[in-house]
Amino acid sequence: TPDRVIVGLKPPLPLLTSQANNLHHNKHHLVATFVDENTPAKNVQSVLSRNGNEDDVGDVHVVVYEGRKFGRAQQFVSSVRRRLREQFFLEMAKEEMIRNMDDLSVGEQWKYYRKQKEIEADQLNRILIQVQSNHQLSNNFLGETDAKKSKQNRTRWSTKSNTSKGRKSNKIDTYIQTILQRVNGNQIGSYLVPIREISSRIGADQWYEKGVPVHLLDGCGDGKIHPHYNVYPPTRQEYLNLLCVPDDTNPLVQNNNSTVVMDVGCGTGILSAILLHRHKNASAILTDISPLAVDCASDNLTRLGLMDRVRGIHLTDQLLADAEADLIVCNPPWIPGKVANQSVECGNWLEKAIYDDVNSTMLFGFLRGVSRHMSINHSAK
């Protein structure tokens, strides 16, 4: 049973997230249950699965974590995830008599996998943590008993501040504070954020700082692509060799004059970066549906010293109607399927980079329209 429950027309604190879009609708009541690392995962799963029940029409159930360490918060989310997966397949087995997933066809397994991922994303994005106005993680909802316990914990914590374990934890807290301040710097006062989103931003920040080496960019800047948060990183690069077109069929080599590349769905900007690096007489036009990808591509091309040959990076899900190019490249979403959360508010750009809809609308739209954007001097490449 929940320790305390808050019901209001709006969240009691601002919810800053690009993932849990079902919490953005003010028509819902927000029902918050406060938990800590000792709360059983089955109890949390029971709370999160209340959404959609007949008795809870219009309500959104969230869990606010009040544990002391972020590492334990991540472990808490992982335990809930395992519980959700177990419960999902138990319910599927009960409803449709599924005894073994291996007995299903690949298509049927994929259907269940996608359904499970949709439920998992919705519920895990409703496990929140409170952040103070200075962007430090906080527990401001503590009751009187919990406050005394928290004060004792802080006293014990201060005795460990000089140990290596204490210094490591303080360093992690400072690191999280820096990330949250960069993302939500304009926020005044305390706010709530999904634990899962903080974890994602930590991973993205590490990818960005480290960068991804790209062998076809050797000798160009640092030779790396630095992916931003929610922009698909180029961790697999086998397909990049497709850009190494023989000179006798390469329009960028055949044309001695300035040539134009159009990069549709540019993502990190990796394809344009490679083509501009390999062909010094080329310029590029880039497009993407994601504003995060537009910023990421601009950042990478600037880092690599190639931005002066970029004609524009445009936020659009269509080919530019008034643009032509000598070479058009596109790395489209390659799996026909539904994105787990379709709302633009959700900003689930990683899934949108992977999943086209079931009819592959983006891919076939590109193939049908690409010839209209080819330069008159070249056949479609």
Side-chain angles (χ1 to χ4, degrees):
T1 58
D3 296 329
R4 293 170 302 285
V5 177
I6 294 179
V7 180
L9 292 176
K10 296 181 180 180
L13 291 174
L15 176 69
L16 304 185
T17 172
S18 63
Q19 297 180 0
N21 88 302
N22 61 337
L23 302 176
H24 286 287
H25 302 298
N26 291 338
K27 65 181 181 180
H28 292 292
H29 290 78
L30 180 74
V31 183
T33 301
F34 292 80
V35 301
D36 60 22
E37 60 268 25
N38 297 316
T39 305
K42 65 178 182 180
N43 291 7
V44 177
Q45 186 268 336
S46 176
V47 171
L48 296 176
S49 61
R50 290 175 188 169
N51 281 15
N53 294 348
E54 291 183 2
D55 296 337
D56 292 325
V57 174
D59 290 346
V60 174
H61 290 266
V62 301
V63 168
V64 180
Y65 178 81
E66 290 188 327
R68 293 299 301 169
K69 296 182 180 180
F70 187 72
R72 291 184 182 177
Q74 292 177 303
Q75 295 173 3
F76 178 79
V77 173
S78 296
S79 66
V80 175
R81 179 190 291 112
R82 289 192 296 270
R83 173 70 186 183
L84 291 176
R85 290 177 179 176
E86 294 171 0
Q87 191 66 24
F88 171 81
F89 288 109
L90 283 174
E91 292 178 0
M92 290 299 100
K94 184 185 298 184
E95 291 180 9
E96 304 189 30
M97 302 299 291
I98 299 174
R99 295 183 179 180
N100 193 331
M101 288 292 288
D102 294 334
D103 296 335
L104 301 177
S105 67
V106 174
E108 290 173 325
Q109 289 185 40
W110 176 252
K111 180 185 73 172
Y112 285 113
Y113 170 78
R114 288 300 298 155
K115 186 174 182 180
Q116 179 258 323
K117 293 297 286 185
E118 289 179 26
I119 295 174
E120 181 180 297
D122 169 62
Q123 297 197 9
L124 293 181
N125 285 336
R126 288 188 276 116
I127 303 178
L128 314 176
I129 196 167
Q130 185 183 343
V131 183
Q132 293 178 346
S133 56
N134 63 353
H135 305 287
Q136 285 185 332
L137 299 183
S138 167
N139 296 315
N140 284 347
F141 281 121
L142 295 175
E144 183 178 354
T145 302
D146 291 334
K148 293 179 180 178
K149 190 185 300 182
S150 176
K151 184 176 180 180
Q152 295 172 358
N153 289 339
R154 285 196 295 271
T155 302
R156 289 196 296 270
W157 177 253
S158 65
T159 64
K160 299 179 181 180
S161 60
N162 293 325
T163 66
S164 59
K165 185 176 181 181
R167 287 194 298 269
K168 182 178 179 181
S169 297
N170 289 335
K171 184 177 180 180
I172 292 174
D173 291 342
T174 302
Y175 180 44
I176 294 173
Q177 180 185 16
T178 301
I179 292 176
L180 291 173
Q181 188 169 14
R182 184 169 64 241
V183 174
N184 304 316
N186 295 328
Q187 171 62 25
I188 300 175
S190 299
Y191 56 94
L192 298 169
V193 65
I195 294 174
R196 199 175 182 218
E197 181 161 334
I198 297 178
S199 299
S200 298
R201 289 192 180 276
I202 291 173
D205 189 73
Q206 293 171 345
W207 271 113
Y208 177 76
E209 293 297 330
K210 183 179 179 181
V212 181
V214 179
H215 69 283
L216 292 178
L217 289 175
D218 288 345
C220 182
D222 63 358
K224 297 179 179 180
I225 291 293
H226 296 260
H228 289 197
Y229 172 72
N230 248 346
V231 180
Y232 201 82
T235 50
R236 298 189 62 179
Q237 302 180 14
E238 300 91 338
Y239 67 95
L240 297 180
N241 291 324
L242 295 172
L243 298 178
C244 302
V245 181
D247 289 353
D248 58 346
T249 60
N250 191 335
L252 302 184
V253 174
Q254 291 178 328
N255 189 354
N256 293 325
N257 299 321
S258 177
T259 54
V260 180
V261 174
M262 185 184 295
D263 185 356
V264 180
C266 62
T268 60
I270 185 172
L271 300 186
S272 292
I274 292 172
L275 290 170
L276 293 177
H277 174 54
R278 290 172 61 86
H279 304 285
K280 307 304 181 185
N281 64 331
S283 59
I285 302 169
L286 295 80
T287 73
D288 203 285
I289 189 176
S290 165
L292 303 180
V294 169
D295 291 341
C296 181
S298 176
D299 178 47
N300 280 307
L301 291 167
T302 300
R303 281 173 173 265
L304 295 168
L306 301 170
M307 197 63 186
D308 59 334
R309 289 192 281 141
V310 174
R311 297 190 175 194
I313 306 179
H314 303 272
L315 180 63
T316 176
D317 59 351
Q318 303 293 331
L319 288 167
L320 298 181
D322 58 348
E324 290 186 346
D326 303 290
L327 179 70
I328 300 180
V329 293
C330 178
N331 185 13
W334 65 92
I335 301 178
K338 179 184 175 183
V339 174
N341 202 324
Q342 295 281 5
S343 171
V344 175
E345 290 178 344
C346 165
N348 200 353
W349 299 114
L350 277 180
E351 286 222 339
K352 292 175 183 176
I354 300 172
Y355 298 101
D356 207 345
D357 61 39
V358 292
N359 297 316
S360 299
T361 301
M362 189 275 177
L363 174 61
F364 288 118
F366 170 78
L367 294 175
R368 285 192 296 266
V370 67
S371 61
R372 297 195 298 270
H373 300 272
M374 295 304 303
S375 170
I376 194 172
N377 297 319
H378 300 95
S379 59
K381 298 293 184 182

